[in-house]
C-alpha cells in the first residue's frame, strides 16, 4: 500500500505532505467523487472484510467502491499516513425521521484535529446525506453544503448529526410515491461519541450486515457516486440521477427502473465499476432512503 497509488485513484494532484484543512477538504471531495458507496461484493458471492490491505486492493487497484467499513477505514489510513491527527469513531445510523437508530454502533467515521480545531470526516455515507467536506465539530452551527444544511448537536454524552433538506421534485411520475425518497425536512443522520475505536470494534457489525436477514445490505444492492451537482445511485434495479438546486429550494430526482441485462452497463458507464463476478440485484423493502 502506498499513498501515491491512492492519490492517482482519486485524481488528487495537490500537495500530499501538507496536513492542513485545505488539503483535507480537497481529498475528502475527490474521494466521494471517485469512490462509490456500494455493497455489491455481498451480492456477487464475495465478503466484506475488515482487512486494510484487501480494502486497498479492492478500492485502489480494482477501481471499486465500498461501504463505510471499507472506504472510511481506508480514508483513515490515508489521513494518518499524511500526518493528520485522526481518531476513528463509531456511530449509530438513524432509520427513521423520528430518531430511531440501528441497535448497535457500526458506522465508521473520523475526528480530525487541525490547529486545535476538530472536524468530522465521513467519505462513505452515500446518497443525499453524504457530506461534501468535513464538518466543524461545533454544536448547533449550520454548515451549508450542496446536499443541504448539516449541523452537529452536542447532547452531553453524545453528538447527533442532523440535516435540513430541500423538497424533492420527482421528474418521473411513476416514482411520485417511491419509498426510496426522503421527504423529511429536518432529521437525524447518526449519533456518535468521541471515544476512540479500534478496527476490531467494527467486526460484529461487519458480520451482522452480511448475515442478519433484516440487514439493509442483504435486502438491497446499493451503488452511489457523488457528482459535482448531486449524485447517481443504483438501488436494486432503480437508477437515479439527483441534481441539487438550492437556488430553487428543491432537488430534482430523475428515476427509472432498468432491466437486469442493463445493470452491468450502467455500473460501467455511470460508476466506472467492472465487476468480476455476476451481480444478483436485490431491491426488497426496507427503511433505506436516498
Amino acid at each position: 500500500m502506498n499513498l501515491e497509488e491512492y492519490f492517482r485513484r482519486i485524481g488528487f494532484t495537490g500537495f500530499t505532505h501538507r496536513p492542513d484543512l485545505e488539503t483535507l477538504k480537497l481529498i475528502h471531495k475527490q474521494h466521494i467523487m471517485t469512490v462509490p458507496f456500494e455493497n455489491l461484493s455481498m451480492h456477487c458471492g464475495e465478503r466484506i472484510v475488515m482487512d486494510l490491505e484487501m480494502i486497498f486492493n479492492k478500492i485502489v487497484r480494482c477501481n471499486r467502491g465500498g461501504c463505510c467499513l471499507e472506504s472510511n477505514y481506508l480514508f483513515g489510513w490515508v489521513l494518518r499516513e499524511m500526518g493528520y491527527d485522526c481518531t476513528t469513531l463509531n456511530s449509530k445510523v438513524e432509520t427513521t425521521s423520528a430518531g430511531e437508530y440501528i441497535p448497535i454502533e457500526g458506522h465508521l467515521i473520523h475526528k480530525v484535529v487541525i490547529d486545535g480545531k476538530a472536524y468530522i470526516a465521513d467519505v462513505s455515507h452515500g446518497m443525499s446525506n453524504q457530506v461534501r467536506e468535513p464538518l466543524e465539530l461545533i454544536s448547533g452551527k449550520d454548515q451549508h453544503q450542496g446536499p443541504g444544511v448539516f449541523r452537529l448537536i452536542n447532547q452531553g454524552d453524545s453528538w447527533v448529526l442532523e440535516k435540513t433538506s430541500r423538497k424533492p421534485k420527482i421528474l418521473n411520475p411513476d416514482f411520485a410515491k417511491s419509498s426510496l425518497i426522503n421527504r423529511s425536512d429536518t432529521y437525524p443522520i447518526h449519533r456518535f461519541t468521541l471515544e476512540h475505536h479500534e478496527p476490531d470494534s467494527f467486526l460484529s457489525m461487519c458480520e451482522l450486515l452480511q448475515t442478519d436477514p433484516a440487514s439493509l445490505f442483504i435486502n438491497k444492492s446499493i451503488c452511489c457516486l457523488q457528482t459535482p451537482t448531486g449524485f447517481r445511485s443504483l438501488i436494486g434495479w432503480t437508477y437515479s440521477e439527483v441534481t441539487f438546486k438550492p437556488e430553487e429550494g428543491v432537488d430534482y430526482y430523475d428515476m427509472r427502473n432498468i432491466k437486469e441485462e442493463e445493470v452491468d452497463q450502467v455500473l460501467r458507464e455511470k460508476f466506472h465499476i467492472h465487476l468480476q463476478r455476476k451481480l444478483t440485484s436485490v431491491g426488497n423493502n426496507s427503511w433505506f432512503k436516498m
Side-chain angles (χ1 to χ4, degrees):
M1 302 194 306
N2 67 79
L3 284 176
E4 292 307 316
E5 278 190 88
Y6 169 79
F7 292 138
R8 286 195 298 271
R9 167 69 176 89
I10 67 169
F12 178 70
T13 57
F15 293 102
T16 59
H17 300 289
R18 183 182 292 175
D20 55 17
L21 180 58
E22 180 182 2
T23 303
L24 175 61
K25 289 181 177 180
L26 286 172
I27 60 173
H28 192 286
K29 183 178 180 179
Q30 284 298 115
H31 189 110
I32 65 171
M33 297 287 177
T34 55
V35 179
F37 170 78
E38 52 109 330
N39 68 344
L40 303 181
S41 291
M42 288 178 52
H43 303 285
C44 294
E46 301 170 349
R47 295 276 299 170
I48 295 173
V49 294
M50 293 291 295
D51 181 300
L52 189 56
E53 290 192 8
M54 292 180 68
I55 293 170
F56 184 94
N57 186 65
K58 174 183 176 180
I59 293 178
V60 176
R61 294 176 178 148
C62 296
N63 212 54
R64 286 283 303 279
C67 68
C68 72
L69 300 179
E70 301 168 289
S71 202
N72 272 329
Y73 189 7
L74 174 65
F75 194 65
W77 172 81
V78 169
L79 295 182
R80 293 182 184 95
E81 288 291 301
M82 293 181 69
Y84 284 98
D85 178 357
C86 177
T87 301
T88 298
L89 309 179
N90 201 344
S91 69
K92 291 184 178 181
V93 175
E94 66 85 24
T95 60
T96 72
S97 59
E100 297 176 3
Y101 294 84
I102 291 176
I104 65 173
E105 297 172 322
H107 180 59
L108 192 159
I109 58 177
H110 300 289
K111 182 186 74 171
V112 185
V113 178
I114 302 172
D115 296 330
K117 295 183 179 180
Y119 302 84
I120 297 298
D122 180 358
V123 294
S124 193
H125 199 287
M127 309 298 163
S128 62
N129 289 335
Q130 176 61 62
V131 296
R132 294 305 178 101
E133 60 185 43
L135 298 169
E136 291 184 74
L137 189 61
I138 298 177
S139 184
K141 179 180 180 180
D142 285 357
Q143 303 191 50
H144 296 259
Q145 298 190 11
V149 181
F150 295 94
R151 67 186 63 82
L152 291 158
I153 308 296
N154 187 345
Q155 296 191 337
D157 58 347
S158 65
W159 289 75
V160 172
L161 171 61
E162 67 176 28
K163 179 193 171 192
T164 298
S165 297
R166 294 176 290 271
K167 292 182 178 180
K169 185 170 184 177
I170 316 306
L171 303 182
N172 185 342
D174 292 343
F175 289 87
K177 297 182 179 180
S178 172
S179 63
L180 290 173
I181 298 169
N182 194 335
R183 294 174 173 82
S184 300
D185 178 16
T186 298
Y187 55 89
I189 297 175
H190 58 77
R191 178 188 299 273
F192 61 94
T193 71
L194 300 181
E195 178 186 355
H196 170 70
H197 285 263
E198 296 293 338
D200 285 354
S201 66
F202 296 91
L203 293 176
S204 60
M205 175 54 87
C206 188
E207 180 67 16
L208 185 71
L209 286 172
Q210 300 175 85
T211 58
D212 184 353
S215 165
L216 164 66
F217 279 14
I218 285 179
N219 284 283
K220 289 191 185 296
S221 52
I222 300 169
C223 188
C224 176
L225 184 64
Q226 303 295 310
T227 69
T229 57
F231 65 90
R232 302 175 185 138
S233 69
L234 180 62
I235 304 169
W237 300 271
T238 301
Y239 175 71
S240 305
E241 293 190 357
V242 178
T243 304
F244 302 143
K245 291 286 187 178
E247 68 279 7
E248 298 179 24
V250 299
D251 292 334
Y252 285 81
Y253 283 71
D254 189 3
M255 305 170 69
R256 63 184 173 91
N257 286 328
I258 64 173
K259 298 177 181 178
E260 183 66 34
E261 55 267 27
E262 297 178 276
V263 170
D264 283 346
Q265 180 180 356
V266 168
L267 288 174
R268 288 194 305 269
E269 294 181 356
K270 301 298 185 179
F271 304 94
H272 315 296
I273 287 179
H274 298 257
L275 295 176
Q276 302 302 310
R277 296 188 179 189
K278 174 64 177 175
L279 173 69
T280 301
S281 299
V282 181
N284 298 331
N285 289 331
S286 77
W287 53 265
F288 184 73
K289 307 288 184 185
M290 288 197 295

